[in-house]
Amino acid sequence: MIGIVGGVGPLAGVDIVKKIIEETNARRDQDHVPVLLSSQSHRIPDRTEYLLGKEPINPGIAISEIALELEKAGATVLGIPCNTAHSPRIFDVIQELLQNNGSNVQVLHMVAETAKFIKEHFPEANVGVLSTIGTRNTGLYKQVIEEFGLKCIEPNDTLQNKVHAAIYDETYGIKAFSSPVTNRAHDQLVAAIQELKGEGAQVIILGCTELPLALREKSYSGLPVIDPNRILARALINAVDPGKLNPVADL
């Protein structure tokens, strides 16, 4: 059974469940894989705020507690639909606390799964990454992408601030206005992709689970767009029942 630690943010948890359904080879209700979603945003401190030193409590503590609850309810493999939660300062705590509590649940690493997917399908690509400030500043995607032998291109500080605002700004950002996303947030993100393309990016990772809510096309400015939430959904299906996984759609 798949377990999803949701609430990080709330729509990202719903989004990955939707994508698990879409990526499952099923012809009737009974063919789908079992999924448990626990969306408890009130328990989990903001991941970026923690990495920036503005939040004292490590979100990994609450995430590990929810993971144990999902395991007790029957989950055997877990996904966390939040890129920033996979930064070592958070993810290592999750793994440590699960181990200390005798957990046997498998937790997939969203960023590693995404880098692996790109290496398989775009083996020579320069990879541009859009993410929160917290994710960029930890070097999370850069480190993992380079471990797979790929070049990582990240926004400069000015562009990064615009990307972060498109996610977090309380007057127009995706976290505040997700349905529908504001034109301003959408346009800032499209402009960021164009700028990364000018710096040599050939593939773009939407390295925050809010971003696919704004950028729904498969490509922008001629660049393929990779959604880690969908990649994680596919990896979770593969972990519980490989025969249920649909072939990769045209990229």
Side-chain angles (χ1 to χ4, degrees):
M1 181 180 290
I2 294 171
I4 302 296
V5 181
V8 282
L11 273 177
V14 177
D15 181 59
I16 194 171
V17 172
K18 176 176 178 287
K19 286 167 180 170
I20 289 170
I21 294 169
E22 292 172 347
E23 296 291 339
T24 300
N25 183 6
R27 296 294 175 267
R28 56 180 187 154
D29 293 351
Q30 292 75 21
D31 293 337
H32 285 274
V33 295
V35 181
L36 290 173
L37 167 63
S38 179
S39 185
Q40 301 188 63
S41 301
H42 67 291
R43 292 176 58 181
I44 307 173
D46 188 272
R47 285 66 58 204
T48 295
E49 293 289 289
Y50 173 73
L51 294 176
L52 293 177
K54 299 177 181 179
E55 164 59 55
I57 300 174
N58 193 318
I61 298 170
I63 291 173
S64 68
E65 292 170 351
I66 294 169
L68 290 168
E69 293 167 4
L70 285 165
E71 183 180 19
K72 186 176 181 180
T76 55
V77 60
L78 294 182
I80 307 167
C82 171
N83 290 270
T84 313
H86 293 78
S87 299
R89 286 172 55 197
I90 299 174
F91 195 78
D92 289 353
V93 167
I94 296 169
Q95 296 282 54
E96 179 183 356
L97 291 174
L98 289 177
Q99 182 178 359
N100 290 346
N101 282 277
S103 173
N104 293 312
V105 75
Q106 178 187 7
V107 183
L108 300 190
H109 195 287
M110 170 185 271
V111 177
E113 294 292 343
T114 301
K116 177 183 175 183
F117 180 88
I118 292 174
K119 184 66 175 179
E120 290 175 354
H121 296 278
F122 305 95
E124 305 297 330
N126 295 331
V127 184
V129 181
L130 299 180
S131 68
T132 64
I133 290 175
T135 297
R136 191 204 65 165
N137 287 358
T138 62
L140 172 61
Y141 264 104
K142 182 176 176 63
Q143 178 181 343
V144 176
I145 286 170
E146 291 180 349
E147 286 175 357
F148 278 82
L150 300 168
K151 181 179 179 180
C152 180
I153 299 175
E154 296 179 311
N156 58 34
D157 288 346
T158 300
L159 184 59
Q160 180 62 59
N161 287 335
K162 292 179 181 178
V163 173
H164 190 85
I167 300 166
Y168 270 96
D169 191 281
E170 293 183 359
T171 63
Y172 70 91
I174 303 168
K175 282 186 177 290
F177 299 93
S178 56
S179 185
V181 172
T182 66
N183 290 336
R184 183 177 178 183
H186 172 270
D187 293 348
Q188 281 184 196
L189 295 170
V190 172
I193 291 175
Q194 292 170 341
E195 190 163 334
L196 290 179
K197 181 180 181 179
E199 295 178 13
Q202 297 164 306
V203 175
I204 298 293
I205 293 176
L206 302 182
C208 171
T209 45
E210 266 75 32
L211 295 179
L213 302 174
L215 302 174
R216 298 179 179 272
E217 303 298 325
K218 290 186 176 181
S219 66
Y220 287 87
S221 300
L223 301 187
V225 172
I226 305 301
D227 173 8
N229 228 20
R230 188 172 294 279
I231 303 305
L232 181 58
R234 292 182 55 82
L236 288 164
I237 298 165
N238 190 60
V240 295
D241 191 344
K244 295 281 189 182
L245 182 61
N246 279 331
V248 175
D250 292 338
L251 297 171

